[in-house]
Every structure is written in C-alpha cells, then in structure tokens.
Amino acid sequence: QVQLVQSESEVKKPGASVKVSCKPSGYSFTKYGISWVRQAPGQGLQWMGWISTFNGLTKSAEIFQGRVSMSTDTSTSTVYMELRSLTSDDTAVYYCARADIAVAPFDYWGQGTLVTVSS
Amino acid sequence: EIVLTQSPGTLSLSPGETATLSCRASQSLPSTPLVWYQQKPGQAPRLLIYGSSSRATGIPHRFSGSGSGTDFTLTISRLEPEDFAVYFCQQYGSSPTTFGQGTRLEI
C-alpha cells in the first residue's frame, strides 16, 4: 500500500534551517511528484511547494521563495524540504503529500513532522 | 491567488443528522477542481471528495460533494460518531493551489 514516511520532530533556534525528509513507498517513485504543506498549531493548511521526482523541477509558493528548497535522492527514493531563516512563525507540522503536478489534489499524505522554532 | 472561504466555522450537530458545509471561491474555478479533506486531531488530512463530486477510494456513500463555479458543498448524511472532525476544501484550478480555513464539525 502507498505510504509516505517522514522524519522525526525537530526543535530549532530562530535563524537556523531545518531539513525534513519524506520517503514514499508502494508505488513507482518517479511517477508522482511531492508537495509540501504546513499547518501551524490550530490553523489551516498552507501549500509550500512541489517537486517532480522525475526531473527535479520545483515550484514554490511566492511567500516561501528564496527560503525553501526541495530536492530528491532517487538512489534512496527520498524527497527533502529545507526551510531556512526560521522564525517562531515557522512552528508548524510539515506534511509531504503525493501530487502528480504542482496544482493537484493530494491523495496520500505523510504522517507529518513537527518543527518547533524556539530560542 | 484564489481565496476559499468556508462556512460555518463550527457546526454543532448530533449523530444521525445531516451536515452541510460550504466552500466559496473568490473567483470562478474552471471546471470542478475542488476537493474536500477530513482531518482528525493528530492526523494528516484524508481525501474525501475530488473533482467536486467524486468520492475517493473507500469513502462511504454518506459523503457527497456538489457545486461548480464559486460555490461548493460537502454534505454528510446520517452523521456517524467518527465523522466529527475538521473539514477543509482545496482548489486546484488555479496556481497556487489554496485551502479554505476549515469547518469544525462537533457533536
């Protein structure tokens, strides 16, 4: 069955960077891209960006441009999202989700990774 | 970007009743590129409805979606105890994809 397994929770200081991993299984890795969506405590969902696992093409939300990077490692079938210059406003659960293109619904989600930014 | 406004913010109902949740887009969406998710505490969202009205795999028939243009509705008939959760809509007709702020369905 399809699963997306994410890395464990992280605690970071303001100004630092965080890198979250997402490892899909149960389907051909390069057949679907991966989007990243975050959810601040008690808040709604915010799309951050999408990466093609086929050719590495990325598309990110304007609000995160310059601060977010997404990458893939086809040798381990893993996708990464790095967010830089963290502030307390970046405290959230970060989800990866399967999506064939950048503007698409998400049929499978990872379990989420809590990133806490605190001094 | 397209803003999705969900109403009501909170809906209080009892098991067995019917829930009607609304999602309104700030601009008309081409075709029916709207989905609904259910999210329970501590869990990732689960896809319920895609293409405005198609149920995702394994979703019970009591969940139904409708709408086009700017107005979309999720209807949950004969509410079961496990249906009490938060529901989000998402549009994928225009870049960037955006979400509504959610409707909390409570007992």
Side-chain angles (χ1 to χ4, degrees):
Chain A
Q1 75 281 23
V2 175
Q3 279 190 302
L4 283 70
V5 178
Q6 298 183 223
S7 48
E8 296 297 314
S9 299
E10 303 247 22
V11 179
K12 295 292 183 181
K13 293 196 181 302
S17 299
V18 68
K19 194 169 187 177
V20 180
S21 69
C22 171
K23 185 173 175 60
S25 61
Y27 67 94
S28 175
F29 178 70
T30 57
K31 187 173 180 182
Y32 294 89
I34 295 290
S35 266
W36 291 90
V37 177
R38 77 177 186 180
Q39 186 172 36
Q43 302 299 309
L45 301 163
Q46 184 178 32
W47 179 75
M48 299 179 67
W50 171 87
I51 183 167
S52 166
T53 54
F54 178 73
N55 59 16
L57 178 72
T58 62
K59 184 173 177 61
S60 57
E62 217 170 286
I63 192 172
F64 295 106
Q65 280 179 9
R67 211 160 65 91
V68 70
S69 299
M70 292 164 285
S71 59
T72 65
D73 183 343
T74 52
S75 68
T76 60
S77 298
T78 303
V79 179
Y80 298 93
M81 184 280 296
E82 181 178 35
L83 188 62
R84 297 177 290 277
S85 303
L86 295 169
T87 71
S88 57
D89 289 341
D90 294 314
T91 294
V93 175
Y94 290 76
Y95 294 102
C96 63
R98 193 176 80 164
D100 53 359
I101 58 175
V103 190
F106 309 127
D107 55 355
Y108 290 95
W109 296 64
Q111 83 277 19
T113 296
L114 174 61
V115 175
T116 303
V117 183
S118 173
S119 55
Chain B
E1 68 181 45
I2 291 180
V3 176
L4 298 179
T5 302
Q6 291 187 241
S7 61
T10 301
L11 185 58
S12 300
L13 293 170
S14 299
E17 294 190 296
T18 295
T20 303
L21 286 67
S22 172
C23 177
R24 177 164 289 178
S26 59
Q27 304 171 42
S28 183
L29 300 179
S31 187
T32 52
L34 189 109
V35 298
W36 290 93
Y37 299 98
Q38 176 194 69
Q39 187 178 34
K40 295 181 179 179
Q43 296 184 16
R46 177 174 73 141
L47 179 65
L48 298 175
I49 301 287
Y50 64 94
S52 177
S53 60
S54 299
R55 270 183 301 276
T57 304
I59 301 303
H61 282 76
R62 63 179 183 275
F63 290 90
S64 63
S66 63
S68 64
T70 60
D71 291 300
F72 299 85
T73 300
L74 173 69
T75 303
I76 313 170
S77 305
R78 301 177 303 280
L79 283 166
E80 298 282 346
E82 62 266 28
D83 298 337
F84 292 90
V86 179
Y87 292 83
F88 294 97
C89 57
Q90 175 204 4
Q91 68 80 21
Y92 55 99
S94 175
S95 181
T97 183
T98 51
F99 295 89
Q101 82 281 15
T103 289
R104 179 179 304 277
L105 177 58
E106 63 177 27
I107 297 180

